[in-house]
Amino acid sequence: MNEYLGATPLPPTTAGTALRLHAFHGGGELADMATFDPFGPGVGTQVEVPFFFYLVEHAAGLVLFDSGGHPDLVDDPVGRLGAAAEDFEVQMAPGDDVVSRLATIGVAPGDVQHVAHSHLHYDHAGGIEFYPEATFYAQRRELEFAHWPPVYQRGLYVRADFDHPVTWRELAGEYDVFGDGSVVLFPTPGHTAGHQSMLVRLPSQTIILVADAAYLPRNIEERVLPGIVWSPDAMVASWDRIEAIRHRTNARLIFTHDLDWPTTARLAPGASYE
Ligand SMILES: [Zn+2]
């Protein structure tokens, strides 16, 4: 297993840094605040939860991190999700899908060689079928978990999202996509058994795409366990790991479901970071 992120200090990048990171807002869903903090004062309040996915530009190719909700969720969430559609009221409009969003910066599906998924819940893995030529990166444990989920997460996995004849690179630990330390996947289990996050080293800053390892900054800062958890112990250990890497790299954390995204410049739709 590559222990690149365990090295102290992190060595400088070599062949090239990632050039740019784009954040794309792809609709979202209505959910109860209990999802974020089951024992907090907001329980019983409905909030608009954003979906996000990200594209990294690197001299050696493009990396998509997560692929948002499937376009069928726009018109027929019940057909796509079944009974789970009642628990999570999806709010996607035409154009919120990954292919449409990437088209706004001139990127077609055939341009994307690498697609990494934090995990395979329906709000992250709905775009897989549109990238048949890409190589997909997921932790092996996540692929197993998605195919045979425990009863309490069955509603979050849609087999039609990930059961496609694409090329999976099944990871068992850290993975340095370009071999230069600029785009590094690392396991952050807890939300699911095989969740992973992604470190992106840009010319002017380092970013950790936390995905769902923590929903909100508050979850990780105050050690507040959210409502959807596979393993609390693994989640807390992943928070320790994220914080250690953040400390070592002076990284900024970006959360996929950050409820404050409309007021935080860091997550403006279509924002890019260099
Ligand atoms: Zn999610």
Side-chain angles (χ1 to χ4, degrees), residues 81-128:
L81 301 179
E86 291 177 17
D87 299 328
F88 302 98
E89 202 176 316
V90 175
Q91 310 239 293
M92 282 177 65
D96 281 341
D97 62 282
V98 64
V99 173
S100 301
R101 280 281 178 268
L102 266 53
T104 64
I105 59 165
V107 172
D111 299 331
V112 180
Q113 302 95 329
H114 310 278
V115 183
H117 277 93
S118 60
H119 63 306
L120 299 176
H121 283 171
Y122 68 82
D123 53 321
H124 297 257
I128 291 172

Side-chain angles (χ1 to χ4, degrees), residues 119 121 123-124 191 212 215 256-257:
H119 63 306
H121 283 171
D123 53 321
H124 297 257
H191 179 60
D212 290 6
Y215 285 140
T256 295
H257 299 304

